[in-house]
Amino acid sequence: MSRFLTFLMALSLWAGSAAAQDAGLARLIDGRIEDRRFGGTELTLTLSQGVPWRVFTLTEPDRLVLDFAEVDWQGADPADLDQSDRISALRMGLFRPGWSRLVAELAEPMLVQSAGMRVLPDGAGAELTLQLEPGDAERFASTAGPPADPSWVQTRPRARRSVPDPDLPLTIVLDPGHGGIDPGAQRDGVTEADLVLTFALELREVLLRSGDYDVRLTRQGDRFVSLEGRVKYAHEVGADLFISLHADALEEGVAHGAAVYTLAEEASDAASEALAERHDRDDLLAGLDLTGTDDRVAQILMDLARLDNTPRSQALAEHIVAGIDGSLGHVHKDPLRQAAFSVLKSADIPSVLVELGFLSTEQDLRNLQDPVWRSGMARGLRDGIAAWALEDEALSRLRRQ
């Protein structure tokens, strides 16, 4: 266990009551601290919305500290929350402008074994769960201590612009899939890598002509870029949007038309799951193994950051589907899909993967080779991005803290 644990979320999820959103505060809906039957203690807090937070322990006296940005504790009764014999005192409140704190004094040394926040279904808020296990005094002292940056305000992730700035265009990273030693899907001497690169270069020109965007590509030639490298590049250039472009082939069945994917641990269907697995396998075949690159703390950090980012990615997908349908008059019969594509796992950049078509379908292959069809597809993506930016600006006021 490190000297302290810090878990952050990028921005608050748009959830909870209108009053809480307007005030920029999360409200405590419910909570409890209770001893478990088979040892240990569990703390659970239900909030009206997700917020950035962290947890650490201190000595003299031994205590657990939870910081939030920011929770309205009005109406919370420590006596009702604390049902544990291992917690000798509980208090909560504002400890600096914009930041709240909960302090639990420990009757005996307790070690943080796990901590996590999850979004509740149907906009019911977010739930923070923390597991404590008994430990000896020496180990507790070795893991306790204040965070390296006590201010914490400086450690919050950089908030990305939610709308184009007239003086600073929206930065869009286009990610043509595959390349180099990884040609992607192939048919009749045509490779997915070449087709999506051609389209990405044409789409960049369409977006640049609008004057509203700064457009970057993860690759501009036939070269291999790892999945990790693609996401890293988007962060390096300060991307506001990430759009991965593909044209896969299905081993079984027939698929026709464009589909747009967002990130989800569980795929929306078997075909989507197979595509995601093949994308990751292609990276492994190139000599890269991303398994285990995120330690437990880093993974929780990213999961929490996605609480705010996921609705924005989903909205982007919906607008892109509408834009393509409006421009071409046709999309896949089930155009909005989800899967665990590694390239979509950026925690704080709205990201989608666009399947332009399927090389396994004759009509789609002809479309992808037709410059007129590609022009219509590029206009559809442009229109979808523009519509998303307008909506995102309208919603941004409700997301600001």
Side-chain angles (χ1 to χ4, degrees), residues 12 16 25 73-74 84 91 93 109-110 113 141 148 154 171 173 175 222 230 250 252 276 288 293 316 347 351 388 398:
S12 292
L25 301 182
W73 300 108
Q74 185 175 357
S84 168
R91 56 186 181 274
M110 300 286 287
Q113 293 300 309
Q154 300 173 5
T171 298
V173 167
D175 173 44
D222 186 23
R230 296 168 192 267
L250 296 180
E252 298 181 3
L288 297 174
T293 56
L316 176 62
S351 304
W388 173 84
L398 297 174

Side-chain angles (χ1 to χ4, degrees), residues 47-107:
L47 306 176
S48 61
Q49 58 182 308
V51 293
W53 63 284
R54 68 179 178 185
V55 59
F56 55 97
T57 53
L58 296 172
T59 58
E60 300 180 352
D62 293 349
R63 58 201 186 276
L64 173 82
V65 180
L66 278 163
D67 286 342
F68 303 87
E70 172 183 3
V71 173
D72 180 2
W73 300 108
Q74 185 175 357
D77 186 345
D80 291 337
L81 292 176
D82 183 11
Q83 304 297 316
S84 168
D85 294 333
R86 299 186 179 98
I87 305 298
S88 57
L90 183 68
R91 56 186 181 274
M92 67 279 287
L94 182 72
F95 83 99
R96 68 176 56 187
W99 303 94
S100 302
R101 173 168 287 179
L102 178 149
V103 179
E105 293 190 12
L106 305 175

Side-chain angles (χ1 to χ4, degrees), residues 325-358:
D325 192 27
S327 180
L328 295 177
H330 177 76
V331 291
H332 190 278
K333 63 180 180 180
D334 184 17
L336 290 170
R337 297 187 167 198
Q338 295 181 320
F341 288 102
S342 291
V343 78
L344 299 181
K345 291 185 177 180
S346 174
D348 56 347
I349 306 173
S351 304
V352 296
L353 185 148
V354 180
E355 287 286 353
L356 301 170
F358 295 86

Side-chain angles (χ1 to χ4, degrees), residues 7 53 114-118 127-130 300 304:
F7 305 89
W53 63 284
S114 64
M117 181 179 286
R118 67 184 183 95
E127 183 179 77
L128 170 66
T129 303
L130 189 146
I300 293 175
L304 294 179

Side-chain angles (χ1 to χ4, degrees), residues 185-187 247-256 275 278 357-365 368:
Q186 302 176 66
R187 181 177 179 184
D248 279 291
L250 296 180
E251 296 181 1
E252 298 181 3
V254 177
H256 171 53
L275 288 177
R278 187 164 76 238
F358 295 86
L359 296 192
S360 49
T361 301
E362 186 66 35
Q363 181 61 54
D364 282 7
L365 177 60
L368 289 161

Side-chain angles (χ1 to χ4, degrees), residues 291-313:
T291 304
T293 56
D294 299 326
D295 62 26
R296 184 172 64 88
V297 173
Q299 186 60 52
I300 293 175
L301 285 172
M302 291 190 294
D303 288 345
L304 294 179
R306 293 186 188 110
L307 294 179
D308 176 78
N309 194 49
T310 297
R312 300 180 66 202
S313 297

Side-chain angles (χ1 to χ4, degrees), residues 362-399:
E362 186 66 35
Q363 181 61 54
D364 282 7
L365 177 60
R366 288 197 298 269
N367 288 342
L368 289 161
Q369 295 175 297
D370 181 358
V372 176
W373 182 91
R374 293 198 304 267
S375 177
M377 173 65 77
R379 290 194 303 271
L381 281 164
R382 177 203 61 195
D383 294 345
I385 293 169
W388 173 84
L390 289 174
E391 179 185 81
D392 202 54
E393 177 180 13
L395 295 176
S396 66
R397 291 186 294 273
L398 297 174
R399 285 193 298 266

